[in-house]
Structure formats: C-alpha cells, structure tokens
Amino acid sequence: MTETPPETAEMPDAHSWHVPRLVLAWVAAAAMGTLVTLLTSPTDRFSWLVLAVGVATLITFALQLGTAQREGFISRVSFSVAGSVVIIAIIDVIGLLL
C-alpha cells in the first residue's frame, strides 16, 4: 500500500493578500494612534489606545470582508491586526519619549 504524502499548505499569491487593503488599515491605525497620542492626557491615553486598536480591528474586518475572498482570510486579518497593534504601539512609544 502506498501512502501519499500530506499536502503542504501553500502561501497564497500576492494578489490574494490585497496589499492596498492592508496598507489602508495600517494608515487608519497610524492616524488613530497619532490622534490619541497628541490629543489625550497621559492618564487617559491607555483607554483611548485600546479603543484605537478595537476600531482598527473593525476596519480590518470590514476591508477584508469586502474582498469576498475566503482563501487566506484568517492570515490577512491576523497580519493586518498585528500590524495595526505594532504601529499604534510604536507611535505611543514615540509620543512618550517626546
């Protein structure tokens, strides 16, 4: 009896990543992080940053659901949300240093 090797998961091609939608979500996260850093007091900043991450996540879901493509959805959403969190964190750290 011959066993067939298990198929390896292939990365989707660059078109299926919908890079402009990823960048758009990151730009929105950068804008929200900048606004929170500039406009809130240091005591309220953490609460507003949590809200900014939540809104960035909702924007990501909306943008990725708009593609109507099932393949790679989880990868695209997780990559986009992780990028948004990192962008907001970097902006906050820069704001704390200045």
Side-chain angles (χ1 to χ4, degrees):
M1 208 191 277
T2 342
E3 291 185 28
T4 59
E7 293 184 27
T8 59
E10 294 181 17
M11 288 294 292
D13 60 353
H15 175 69
S16 67
W17 273 86
H18 299 282
V19 175
R21 291 177 186 259
L22 291 174
V23 172
L24 186 60
W26 292 338
V27 168
M32 288 184 288
T34 303
L35 288 173
V36 166
T37 301
L38 294 176
L39 300 177
T40 61
S41 66
T43 57
D44 294 335
R45 184 175 293 158
F46 183 74
S47 299
W48 284 98
L49 286 173
V50 170
L51 179 66
V53 169
V55 171
T57 302
L58 293 176
I59 290 171
T60 293
F61 277 122
L63 290 172
Q64 293 302 325
L65 285 173
T67 65
Q69 183 177 5
R70 293 173 45 179
E71 295 148 357
F73 175 77
I74 299 297
S75 299
R76 290 191 314 266
V77 168
S78 60
F79 189 70
S80 182
V81 169
S84 295
V85 169
V86 168
I87 288 170
I88 290 173
I90 289 171
I91 290 172
D92 187 49
V93 168
I94 291 171
L96 289 174
L97 295 175
L98 296 177

